[in-house]
Amino acid sequence: MGEKDKKPDPQQRRESFADHWHAVYTFMPMFAEPVKMPELSVFTEAMKRRFGRVEVMHDNPVMPEKEENLLSFALMDHSVFYKDKGQEFPSQLLLFGMGEFDRELWDEMIISNFHACPDAETILPACRYSLIAGNMMAAGLPRMEEYGILASYADLFLELFPECIGIYWPHSQSLTSASYYREPHWHRSDFHFLDGGLNLRMFRITGTEELLFDTVGFTAIGLPDLQFHCKNLDPDDVVPFLRNLAAYLYEEGDVIEDGNTVEGIHHEKWVCRREDAMAGPVRVVLDVNPGIYAGGNRQ
């Protein structure tokens, strides 16, 4: 078998969604059975209600019926200025037709961190088919506009496809059940993308009382994922601390430099530095050192 014929390593494929920035961002509405696509006019009218002027990028457009079929929609009210061309082009939303879901996108560790899918035991076996949706030519938009559009696009699928049982976000390795995603879990509506686009994980370090918390999903959108290795702290205190820090980065950008401090749970000054992630995917993360609570004999 030649190099071109080799099948990609499943782990590398899974991690490739989360280990670097992606100009094209995708998510996958999940289904138990194949479903009929809505009429194109119904789909585009739903998009117009959310995004303003929409133009279908095809001479003779039809809704994609197979996974190899693609339809693009230009968002005329969400344009990006390209300096090299000296003009604006509309950002686009993409839709591929339905196909069988590739179970190789999940492994045991990914499934164990489906925290946004409380009824996972029931939903996981039913996830047999999927659509693929995403964006293109949107990287020049302000961050919260670009990913806010994607969050609303995911809402659209739950509106138009009542059979949709959840949404898989490969860039954050998170599965959100339909009921979970319909109810925002952040304090502001413009953070709704984080309901699916950010996955906050927790691991227990074998043979110790230490805990490792990290996020998956920020690297893919050009921000540093977070890491927090600690002992003698209550997870119920750590989780809101990391959520607040993630919300700050999502709104303000990659503004925390090596050596900067953030206010800790008990008003300490905790130092932040970029380090290699302790848990895969392989990536550089912003590690928060909790001082006297630090794991691994650090202070």
Side-chain angles (χ1 to χ4, degrees), residues 12 20 44 54 57 68 83 85 101 166 177 189 208 269 276:
Q12 290 179 346
H20 64 279
T44 53
V54 174
M57 304 290 287
E68 62 268 23
K83 291 182 179 179
K85 299 185 183 298
F101 176 64
S177 66
S189 59
T208 75
K269 296 295 184 182
D276 292 335

Side-chain angles (χ1 to χ4, degrees), residues 185-258:
H185 292 77
W186 293 79
H187 63 290
R188 280 173 31 189
S189 59
D190 54 352
F191 287 176
H192 183 33
F193 169 76
L194 302 182
D195 284 315
L198 186 71
N199 193 0
L200 177 54
R201 310 184 300 180
M202 185 185 80
F203 305 92
R204 297 191 179 276
I205 306 299
T206 304
T208 75
E209 297 298 317
E210 298 176 1
L211 298 173
L212 173 67
F213 298 81
D214 75 358
T215 66
V216 181
F218 268 2
T219 299
I221 67 170
L223 295 173
D225 276 307
L226 300 173
Q227 179 173 276
F228 191 83
H229 182 194
C230 68
K231 58 190 176 187
N232 303 323
L233 284 175
D234 189 333
D236 288 341
D237 292 327
V238 175
V239 168
F241 164 76
L242 290 175
R243 282 174 61 91
N244 288 337
L245 184 55
Y248 173 75
L249 290 177
Y250 183 59
E251 183 171 23
E252 300 296 332
D254 185 6
V255 295
I256 300 178
E257 299 180 357
D258 282 5

Side-chain angles (χ1 to χ4, degrees), residues 110-150:
I110 288 176
I111 291 173
S112 70
N113 284 286
F114 282 166
H115 307 301
C117 189
D119 42 357
E121 288 187 5
T122 301
I123 289 180
L124 261 61
C127 291
R128 295 192 290 268
Y129 295 87
S130 65
L131 299 168
I132 298 178
N135 67 0
M136 188 172 72
M137 298 181 68
L141 292 173
R143 179 186 310 101
M144 295 183 73
E145 180 181 355
E146 177 184 357
Y147 297 105
I149 288 170
L150 283 167

